[in-house]
Amino acid sequence: MQVHRDLDHLPEFRNAIITIGTFDGVHAGHRFIIEQLEQAATACGGETVIITFDPHPREVLQPTPNNIRLLTTLPEKIALLERAGIDHLVVVPFTKAFSEMAARSYLEDFLVARFKPHTIIIGYDHRFGHNREGGLELLEAEQQQYGFTLMEIPQQVVHDLTVSSTKIRKSLQEGNIRLANELLHYTYFLTGTIVHGDKMGRQLGYPTANLHLNDERKLIPAEGIYAVNAQLSGSSELLPAVMSIGFRPTFNGTDLRLEVHIFDFNEDIYGKELTVHFVEYIRSNLKFDNIDALIAQMDKDSAQAKEILAGA
């Protein structure tokens, strides 16, 4: 897959079959659209082209704190779309000026001039241009003049896409990892850089990798203990682990920590990137009366995580 970020230097696409969207999560619902792209491209010997935006349009149009919690960061989205077999991903720098482009200018100067689309596949409710004034009706009226075919994504499919994204976010925020993974069709993951902590885990016999997220907009699942697989950058090996997300109530913590204990592992990995794949939620966070009680519970959590991962 080729990734294009400079709109002034796009290639000459061959019978471009295009669609437009955020594709956050690249979840099971998005596969229908990707399948439509691929079928249309096969029929005309064309190339599949997804147009997406960075930053997320809501960050620009509704800039409030914590407005966006992404299922996939841009690098993650790129990797998932490449795995899905897309030919071209065009990442449009989304700005206020871009959002204020008139709908006809968006069609003529952006879509037609830059992509020369053979086919445009969009949802029945897709809106574009200043004040969202453009939509399916404008594309339908102009498709003969500009020589492209228009394919509408049915209302039920668009509804299912929205429901899926909402369900995935809600499931993750409730710790329902199994449902989220089922809707995603892959294991939810997040990536961070391993930073120094206070070494408390080491003192308890459970040394942990403390993660600092590479993108603070990434959605963090509910606080609690999880069975996870850890993957170091540059390695395909999945390392069984147990993860804690929370404020460490036993120690009266005040900052959210992402801590991963990798089983039977003793390497110096500070400064490296670690991706955590969530397999199952184990329990909520608890405050223990003493360290011995905490360690006893950590022993149980580790045993349960190993059992879950062995059967996953």
Side-chain angles (χ1 to χ4, degrees), residues 71-173:
L71 294 173
T72 44
T73 65
L74 182 57
E76 292 167 353
K77 187 191 303 183
I78 290 170
L80 289 166
L81 289 173
E82 182 167 25
R83 196 183 305 166
I86 295 299
D87 296 317
H88 299 272
L89 177 66
V90 178
V91 182
V92 177
F94 194 87
T95 62
K96 196 77 162 56
F98 182 85
S99 74
E100 292 171 350
M101 184 185 299
R104 185 165 293 278
S105 179
Y106 178 96
L107 169 60
E108 296 174 352
D109 302 332
F110 178 62
L111 289 183
V112 173
R114 296 187 185 277
F115 297 92
K116 300 179 177 58
H118 175 283
T119 302
I120 299 176
I121 301 178
I122 62 165
Y124 79 100
D125 63 345
H126 183 79
R127 308 302 300 176
F128 57 85
H130 187 51
N131 290 330
R132 296 166 54 83
E133 60 192 13
L136 203 64
E137 65 284 349
L138 176 59
L139 295 175
E140 286 175 336
E142 301 298 337
Q143 64 176 323
Q144 188 169 354
Q145 177 184 346
Y146 292 113
F148 60 82
T149 299
L150 187 63
M151 290 178 60
E152 179 184 349
I153 301 166
Q155 180 173 353
Q156 184 57 47
V157 173
V158 174
H159 173 72
D160 290 345
L161 283 171
T162 304
V163 169
S164 292
S165 294
T166 302
K167 271 189 179 178
I168 292 166
R169 287 187 173 84
K170 188 170 185 290
S171 299
L172 291 170
Q173 289 165 341

Side-chain angles (χ1 to χ4, degrees), residues 73-287:
T73 65
L74 182 57
E76 292 167 353
K77 187 191 303 183
I78 290 170
L80 289 166
L81 289 173
E82 182 167 25
R83 196 183 305 166
I86 295 299
D87 296 317
H88 299 272
L89 177 66
V90 178
V91 182
V92 177
F94 194 87
T95 62
K96 196 77 162 56
F98 182 85
S99 74
E100 292 171 350
M101 184 185 299
R104 185 165 293 278
S105 179
Y106 178 96
L107 169 60
E108 296 174 352
D109 302 332
F110 178 62
L111 289 183
V112 173
R114 296 187 185 277
F115 297 92
K116 300 179 177 58
H118 175 283
T119 302
I120 299 176
I121 301 178
I122 62 165
Y124 79 100
D125 63 345
H126 183 79
R127 308 302 300 176
F128 57 85
H130 187 51
N131 290 330
R132 296 166 54 83
E133 60 192 13
L136 203 64
E137 65 284 349
L138 176 59
L139 295 175
E140 286 175 336
E142 301 298 337
Q143 64 176 323
Q144 188 169 354
Q145 177 184 346
Y146 292 113
F148 60 82
T149 299
L150 187 63
M151 290 178 60
E152 179 184 349
I153 301 166
Q155 180 173 353
Q156 184 57 47
V157 173
V158 174
H159 173 72
D160 290 345
L161 283 171
T162 304
V163 169
S164 292
S165 294
T166 302
K167 271 189 179 178
I168 292 166
R169 287 187 173 84
K170 188 170 185 290
S171 299
L172 291 170
Q173 289 165 341
E174 293 175 348
N176 192 344
I177 296 298
R178 287 200 167 188
L179 177 57
N181 290 346
E182 184 181 319
L183 294 168
L184 287 167
H185 273 203
Y186 61 85
T187 305
Y188 186 71
F189 61 93
L190 53 78
T191 300
T193 301
I194 301 168
V195 298
H196 287 277
D198 52 21
K199 309 296 191 292
M200 184 61 70
R202 190 175 301 279
Q203 295 175 39
L204 299 174
Y206 283 91
T208 59
N210 290 267
L211 285 191
H212 176 75
L213 285 185
N214 291 352
D215 190 327
E216 293 181 354
R217 299 171 299 171
K218 178 77 174 181
L219 190 152
I220 300 172
E223 292 176 39
I225 309 300
Y226 294 86
V228 302
N229 282 311
Q231 184 177 14
L232 286 164
S233 179
S235 171
S236 60
E237 184 181 8
L238 295 178
L239 305 169
V242 62
M243 182 175 189
S244 168
I245 298 176
F247 291 86
R248 303 188 306 163
T250 301
F251 302 104
N252 298 314
T254 57
D255 57 326
L256 185 71
R257 297 285 185 96
L258 310 178
E259 299 177 298
V260 184
H261 171 68
I262 304 173
F263 301 128
D264 305 316
F265 186 85
N266 188 28
E267 294 180 23
D268 184 353
I269 52 177
Y270 289 115
K272 292 188 177 182
E273 277 193 355
L274 187 74
T275 297
V276 178
H277 302 265
F278 290 82
V279 177
E280 192 165 318
Y281 177 87
I282 294 176
R283 65 169 176 85
S284 61
N285 288 325
L286 302 170
K287 182 168 183 174

